[in-house]
Amino acid sequence: MNVYDSARMADVLAPLGYGPADHAEEADMVILNTCHIREKAAEKVFSELGRLRKIKTARAEAGQRMILAVAGCVAQAEGEEILRRAPFVDIVLGPQTYHRLPEMVAQAARAGGAVLDTEFPAEPKFDFLPEPLAQGSSAFLSVQEGCDKFCTFCVVPYTRGAEYSRPATAILAEAAKLAQGGVREITLLGQNVNGWHGDEGWGLGRLIRALAEVPGVERLRYTTSHPRDMDDELIRAHAELPQLMPFLHLPVQSGSDRILAAMNRGHDRDTYLRLVDRLKSVCPDLALSSDFIVGFPGESDADFEASMDLIRQVGFVQTYSFKYSPRPGTPAAAMDQQVPEPVKDERLAQVQALLMEQTTRFNHSCVGREMRVLLDRPGRHAGQLLGRSPYMQPVHVKAAAHLIGTVVNLRITKVHPNSLEAIPA
Ligand code: SAM
Ligand code: SF4
């Protein structure tokens, strides 16, 4: 989502004459687009601001101005604190107001002190953003934002606000524009992307069906989904639409019912497993990835083992795993029985080792298989191109440069530590 938001900020600023710079030292403006999901991510902002302050001072001494802005969820949650701890920052803006960046830049240029805009405006920012510029053959498209689910560990409902779905017409128009610009693969984005709903009762499955008909769109993905919002129509889309890639990121967070309840996830282990069964029964080559939190308050060894067991049972081919990070203002941060750091470290290492094993096994099972690969860039070696398999694995192949931006049939021949090797099928 932050990658998408950063690209849209660049779109908004382009008419003012701003374009991307390679290094902060050369930049008239630096925007830090920040994440508040875990403490480590939030703390990084302040260390990065320290580094940028030096660059800003050096530029000022050389008679060059640098506008420094902090955007994103840390700005939303800690706007005042940023201005207190880093008074050299010119602009602080939340994720819902970046369409107003040009005004903020003008205000900052008038040097009237720092500009702070962390409102949740009544009119959604999407109504004010210019058309996106297509870059490359794969693009993100934000369809939904915010969250009403209030998992007890999570800051998203506070920083991104209530659930909002963009209208289908706007999404279809943006997709058509991207496809005309050469995009072949679109990943639909949302904090609860499958909670998307449009007018006339459309759900995400119906939207994906309409997107599959947009000329030029060859591949569709969506992330991140919530198990509670996986409805029949979306499951059917996996069975019926070849454009919808057979790879689904479906976070579960824990394999223990006790912990899932304390997390306020609104589903238990069995419901999740039944959902996976339904998905795999309609789409047998579906592979799943997930998110796990280890060391949630009160997580016992047995609860943790239940997560390990679920990872084996579902056979996730990839997973993001995190140590629980207490976030200010969330219910879990105030819970008793916080798990000691060394225990979290040990559990994280175990989860990651198991997942590494499963990812490697899956990669090896791909050898000999034919796959449709979207070639999207030159490889590291001459005459080589790099692309993505339906399962998001990086694949390299010897192929002519004009094939960049096309989907080709390849046969996987070898597994490397971070990629697969292939030959034309
Ligand atoms: N909406 C998605 C869902 O319900 O699964 C997740 C979106 S959240 C932005 C991304 C991931 O960050 C979560 O799935 C969770 O694993 C992780 N996360 C969120 N809050 C966390 C916390 N306080 N500590 C550790 N990990 C956290
Ligand atoms: Fe956070 Fe996802 Fe839970 Fe919403 S559903 S509170 S975004 S983890």
Side-chain angles (χ1 to χ4, degrees), residues 147-151 153-157 191-192 226 253 265:
C147 180
D148 299 335
K149 298 209 165 51
F150 291 91
C151 299
F153 52 81
C154 186
V155 288
V156 168
Q191 270 84 33
N192 279 290
H226 194 288
Q253 315 297 352
R265 287 290 292 175

Side-chain angles (χ1 to χ4, degrees), residues 35-39 146-147 149 151-156 190-193 224-227 249-253 263 265 267 290-294 296 320-327 330 332:
C35 176
H36 200 242
I37 199 84
R38 284 170 290 278
E39 191 180 1
C147 180
K149 298 209 165 51
C151 299
T152 53
F153 52 81
C154 186
V155 288
V156 168
Q191 270 84 33
N192 279 290
V193 71
T224 299
S225 293
H226 194 288
H249 184 62
L250 193 60
V252 60
Q253 315 297 352
M263 286 176 163
R265 287 290 292 175
H267 63 82
S290 197
D291 287 348
F292 279 87
I293 293 179
V294 299
F296 183 83
Y320 300 94
S321 45
F322 312 102
K323 286 192 287 179
Y324 168 68
S325 168
R327 307 308 294 127
T330 58

Side-chain angles (χ1 to χ4, degrees), residues 194 222 225-227 229-240 244-251 271-289 314 316:
N194 56 345
Y222 58 95
S225 293
H226 194 288
D229 290 331
M230 210 73 215
D231 65 14
D232 288 346
E233 190 170 29
L234 187 52
I235 294 176
R236 243 192 345 268
H238 278 280
E240 294 167 8
L244 187 54
M245 292 293 98
F247 184 56
L248 177 62
H249 184 62
L250 193 60
T271 317
Y272 186 85
L273 283 169
R274 276 187 283 129
L275 183 55
V276 169
D277 280 348
R278 278 171 65 206
L279 279 157
K280 286 197 170 172
S281 69
V282 300
C283 181
D285 59 350
L286 186 81
L288 285 137
S289 79
V314 175
F316 293 111

Side-chain angles (χ1 to χ4, degrees), residues 114-192:
V115 182
L116 174 72
D117 191 346
T118 49
E119 265 186 51
F120 286 106
E123 355 61 90
K125 64 182 175 233
F126 296 103
D127 293 354
F128 300 91
L129 292 171
E131 281 180 348
L133 301 169
Q135 279 172 344
S137 46
S138 183
F140 291 126
L141 201 174
S142 198
V143 302
Q144 182 279 336
E145 254 194 272
C147 180
D148 299 335
K149 298 209 165 51
F150 291 91
C151 299
T152 53
F153 52 81
C154 186
V155 288
V156 168
Y158 312 95
T159 56
R160 290 267 173 181
E163 283 187 16
Y164 166 75
S165 295
R166 286 180 74 190
T169 42
I171 297 166
L172 287 163
E174 191 167 326
K177 199 80 206 164
L178 290 169
Q180 281 157 21
V183 167
R184 296 290 158 260
E185 175 180 83
I186 294 179
T187 302
L188 307 177
L189 293 180
Q191 270 84 33
N192 279 290

Side-chain angles (χ1 to χ4, degrees), residues 196-214:
W196 180 89
H197 52 272
D199 301 335
E200 294 159 16
W202 277 29
L204 191 70
R206 182 69 189 83
L207 178 68
I208 289 176
R209 218 165 266 281
L211 285 164
E213 282 167 22
V214 173

Side-chain angles (χ1 to χ4, degrees), residues 4-16 31 71-72 76 91 93-106 117-131 145 164:
Y4 176 86
D5 286 346
S6 297
R8 303 319 310 273
M9 285 186 226
D11 293 345
V12 168
L13 292 170
L16 274 67
I31 305 176
Q76 187 67 43
I91 300 174
L93 70 152
Q96 304 310 338
T97 54
Y98 58 75
H99 57 291
R100 298 180 187 157
L101 255 173
E103 294 155 49
M104 295 181 215
V105 171
D117 191 346
T118 49
E119 265 186 51
F120 286 106
E123 355 61 90
K125 64 182 175 233
F126 296 103
D127 293 354
F128 300 91
L129 292 171
E131 281 180 348
E145 254 194 272
Y164 166 75

